[in-house]
């Protein structure tokens, strides 16, 4: 047996701020951890300096990475901090650059977060494409303490020296049904006569601090999906960042409800409107659920909320579907990546498509083999998908790409459901191919805004 996967389900589905789990949520968490470590050491620096490198530097302005770092250095939490205060943080600190630091006050100015040029670190081998160096300095600019953090996708962070280790705390108990890859996961499900999601939920039940904790967490995720869709549908006007993109989610839904969309396509069109709503909220810096990232956060809620409302799925079914989707994300995160900066958008939209296809196939009555097949199709037909956002913003092609992912989910689930479940390429194999494809992909196509659509369209870099 391979090493058992111990990623927690509620680490896959995290509630945080847009527009990016790896460029906004992750840096905020890393900066907060750096702050706490400084305070544990009793450090009272004269000032702080955070240097952003790799993709964090290349596209960090469009992702609000500087604002996220400034928030984290004040120990703000992406799940609970005030969204309006976060949006105005750079301006407010420029006007009044003082924060609480234990029992003292520390000067923190937006200029203390630096976007390094590639030329500044071109001879350095970065531990990860999303790297940030945090330093506490004395009055003479001498370094009192430093840490290097990596934001590795989906809001997960790890210190550079731990990059090859799990960035999360493993549960104290071993999993009840251990699995290290898709083959072992499906074998466990067959032996127990249950779904993939039920295997994950059984493991979670063995780990949770109190009965019902995970179920409550998943209900919170589901509420997060619905709340985000509602906010996105109600939103109007131009998205921030300078691309001059107008919000379309509400319009797309009205087109469905007015009968302007063919009846045979209405369920997909409605789900696409929901996906637009989530991703427009994300682009505007609103609060979303990583699924498995912010940039790909619209696919799973778009598909599942529409299907649940139309087909009247009960809460237990929804929790099971979320757990199945989470199982697929665990496999991909362990054996490939969910980071666009690491392996391109195949790791974000490709992963989300596979997660949603597996969950939908299960809800529609698919067998274990058919569910695994649906996930495999979802990845296979996103292999090589690049991450090339215009101006470093999570808007174009990202929002539309999520809507296209919705259609692929239904296609993958349909193809899997109308099969014996036998298929030539296994889920484990396609995940390994995704990793190799990402490794071979040029850095210009991995969230740097230096290749593909980002430079093919006549939009000046900010």
């Amino acid at each position: 047996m391979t090493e058992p996967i111990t990623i927690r389900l509620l680490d896959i589905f995290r509630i945080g701020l847009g527009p990016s789990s790896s460029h906004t949520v992750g840096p905020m968490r890393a900066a907060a951890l750096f702050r706490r470590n400084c305070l544990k050491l009793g450090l009272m620096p004269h000032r702080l300096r955070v240097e952003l490198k790799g993709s964090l530097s290349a596209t960090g302005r469009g992702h609000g990475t500087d604002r996220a770092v400034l928030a984290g250095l004040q120990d703000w939490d992406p799940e609970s901090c005030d969204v309006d205060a976060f949006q105005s943080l750079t301006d407010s600190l420029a006007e009044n650059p003082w924060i609480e630091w234990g029992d003292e006050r520390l000067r923190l100015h937006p200029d203390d977060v630096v976007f390094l040029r590639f030329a500044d670190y071109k001879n350095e081998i970065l531990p990860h494409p999303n790297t940030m160096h945090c330093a506490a300095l004395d009055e003479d600019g001498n370094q009192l303490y430093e840490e290097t953090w990596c934001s590795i996708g989906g809001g997960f962070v790890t210190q550079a020296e731990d990059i090859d280790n799990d960035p999360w705390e493993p549960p104290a108990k071993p999993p009840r049904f251990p699995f290290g890859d898709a083959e072992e996961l499906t074998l466990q499900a067959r032996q127990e006569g249950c779904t993939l999601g039920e295997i994950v939920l059984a493991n979670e039940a063995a780990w949770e601090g109190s009965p019902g904790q995970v179920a409550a967490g998943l209900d919170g995720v589901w509420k997060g999906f619905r709340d985000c869709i509602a906010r996105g549908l109600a939103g109007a006007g131009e998205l921030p960042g300078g691309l001059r993109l107008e919000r379309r989610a509400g319009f797309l839904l009205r087109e469905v409800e007015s009968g302007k969309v063919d009846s045979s396509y209405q369920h997909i069109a409605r789900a696409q409107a929901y996906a637009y709503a989530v991703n427009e909220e994300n682009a505007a810096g609103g609060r979303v659920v990583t699924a498995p990232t912010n940039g790909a956060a619209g696919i799973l809620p778009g598909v599942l909320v529409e299907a649940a409302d139309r087909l009247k799925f009960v809460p237990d079914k929804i929790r099971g579907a979320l757990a199945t989707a989470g199982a697929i994300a665990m496999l991909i995160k362990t054996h490939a990546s969910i980071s666009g900066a690491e392996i391109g958008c195949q790791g974000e939209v490709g992963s989300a498509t596979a997660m949603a296809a597996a969950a939908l196939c299960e809800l529609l009555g698919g067998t274990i083999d058919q569910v695994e097949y649906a996930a495999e199709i979802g990845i296979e037909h996103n292999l090589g998908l690049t991450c090339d956002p215009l101006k470093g913003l999570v808007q174009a092609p990202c929002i539309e790409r999520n809507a296209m992912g919705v259609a692929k989910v239904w296609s993958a689930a349909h193809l899997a459901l109308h099969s014996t479940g036998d298929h030539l390429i296994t889920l484990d194999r396609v995940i390994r191919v995704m990793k190799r494809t990402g490794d071979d992909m040029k850095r210009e196509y991995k969230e740097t805004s230096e290749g593909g659509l980002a430079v093919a369209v006549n939009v000046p870099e900010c």
Side-chain angles (χ1 to χ4, degrees):
M1 174 177 285
T2 57
E3 187 73 19
I5 294 173
T6 56
I7 304 173
R8 300 299 300 272
L9 192 54
L10 294 178
D11 280 334
I12 294 294
F13 300 114
R14 298 185 179 195
I15 299 172
L17 298 175
S20 172
S21 49
S22 59
H23 287 62
T24 313
V25 177
M28 189 188 298
R29 288 200 170 102
L33 290 167
F34 170 70
R35 170 197 166 99
R36 291 171 207 166
N37 291 339
C38 286
L39 289 170
K40 283 179 186 176
L41 293 170
L43 292 175
M44 184 60 218
H46 179 69
R47 68 184 183 93
L48 305 173
R49 178 180 171 90
V50 177
E51 296 177 340
L52 304 175
K53 303 177 182 180
S55 181
L56 293 183
S57 177
T59 63
R61 287 183 175 85
H63 290 78
T65 304
D66 51 344
R67 188 169 59 239
V69 170
L70 293 169
L73 291 173
Q74 297 178 79
D75 207 22
W76 290 12
D77 178 16
E79 184 169 342
S80 59
C81 72
D82 183 274
V83 176
D84 292 333
F86 175 74
Q87 295 297 340
S88 61
L89 182 56
T90 305
D91 292 337
S92 61
L93 280 178
E95 182 178 337
N96 180 23
W98 294 94
I99 65 169
E100 293 183 3
W101 188 266
D103 296 329
E104 305 288 337
R105 300 273 286 171
L106 174 70
R107 188 178 189 278
L108 180 66
H109 190 274
D111 291 344
D112 295 325
V113 181
V114 182
F115 293 91
L116 291 186
R117 300 170 303 162
F118 179 63
D120 296 327
Y121 59 87
K122 65 180 181 181
N123 296 323
E124 181 181 345
I125 299 175
L126 298 182
H128 188 275
N130 294 328
T131 296
M132 53 189 277
H133 179 260
C134 307
L137 308 176
D138 66 14
E139 291 184 14
D140 297 322
N142 298 314
Q143 197 164 269
L144 300 171
Y145 181 68
E146 66 169 338
E147 290 177 351
T148 298
W149 284 89
C150 303
S151 179
I152 59 176
F156 288 90
V157 296
T158 183
Q159 289 200 55
E161 59 264 33
D162 298 324
I163 191 68
D164 294 324
N165 302 320
D166 289 348
W168 48 84
E169 287 292 326
K173 298 179 183 177
R176 183 178 173 190
F177 299 112
F179 64 91
D181 57 24
E183 182 179 4
E184 292 170 354
L185 173 61
T186 54
L187 177 62
Q188 292 277 25
R190 289 191 200 93
Q191 289 176 343
E192 297 302 315
C194 63
T195 66
L196 305 187
E198 286 170 339
I199 291 293
V200 172
L201 290 174
N203 288 339
E204 290 288 345
W207 293 333
E208 62 186 356
S210 58
Q213 188 179 55
V214 173
L218 290 176
D219 290 346
V221 167
W222 188 246
K223 182 177 184 299
F225 282 175
R226 287 191 171 280
D227 288 349
C228 190
I229 289 170
R231 290 194 307 271
L233 290 172
E238 193 174 287
L239 292 170
L243 287 181
R244 311 209 59 161
L245 287 180
E246 294 284 332
R247 287 182 181 248
R248 294 184 60 203
F251 168 77
L252 289 172
L253 184 60
R254 290 191 293 274
E255 291 289 284
V256 175
E257 293 181 338
S258 65
K260 294 179 181 178
V261 176
D262 187 272
S263 59
S264 63
Y265 193 78
Q266 282 184 3
H267 65 291
I268 294 177
R270 183 181 294 272
Q272 288 177 319
Y274 293 171
Y276 254 82
V278 170
N279 285 94
E280 287 174 350
E281 269 300 290
N282 179 62
R287 187 164 277 125
V288 302
V289 181
T290 60
T293 66
N294 283 30
I299 297 173
L300 186 64
V303 169
L304 293 192
V305 169
E306 186 283 327
D309 287 348
R310 180 167 50 88
L311 302 175
K312 312 300 182 188
F313 292 125
V314 297
D316 278 349
K317 280 279 191 184
I318 292 167
R319 294 185 199 113
L322 288 173
T324 292
I328 304 304
M330 293 172 190
L331 294 169
I332 297 170
K333 180 153 187 59
T334 300
H335 298 290
S337 174
I338 58 173
S339 168
E342 194 170 6
I343 65 168
C345 198
Q346 58 173 354
E348 299 204 30
V349 162
S351 297
T353 301
M355 292 164 63
L360 180 63
C361 186
E362 179 181 297
L363 286 171
L364 297 178
T367 65
I368 292 168
D369 290 334
Q370 288 170 336
V371 169
E372 188 256 0
Y373 186 20
E376 186 278 326
I377 294 171
I379 296 175
E380 181 181 343
H381 298 288
N382 280 291
L383 284 176
L385 191 62
T386 59
C387 185
D388 49 357
L390 275 63
K391 291 189 72 176
L393 300 166
V394 192
Q395 297 180 20
C398 317
I399 298 172
E400 194 173 87
R401 190 169 281 173
N402 274 254
M404 288 300 298
V406 167
K408 284 188 175 183
V409 167
W410 273 97
S411 295
H414 171 81
L415 290 172
L417 283 166
H418 297 283
S419 74
T420 62
D422 294 333
H423 50 289
L424 186 62
I425 302 169
T426 66
L427 179 56
D428 284 327
R429 183 178 179 187
V430 81
I431 291 173
R432 290 194 298 269
V433 170
M434 174 198 277
K435 175 66 166 65
R436 289 198 297 270
T437 303
D439 289 344
D440 291 341
M441 193 181 291
K442 292 176 66 177
R443 65 173 294 277
E444 287 82 359
Y445 299 101
K446 294 192 280 190
E447 209 163 357
T448 62
S449 285
E450 295 174 4
L453 293 173
V455 295
V457 179
N458 187 25
V459 179
E461 180 61 43
C462 59

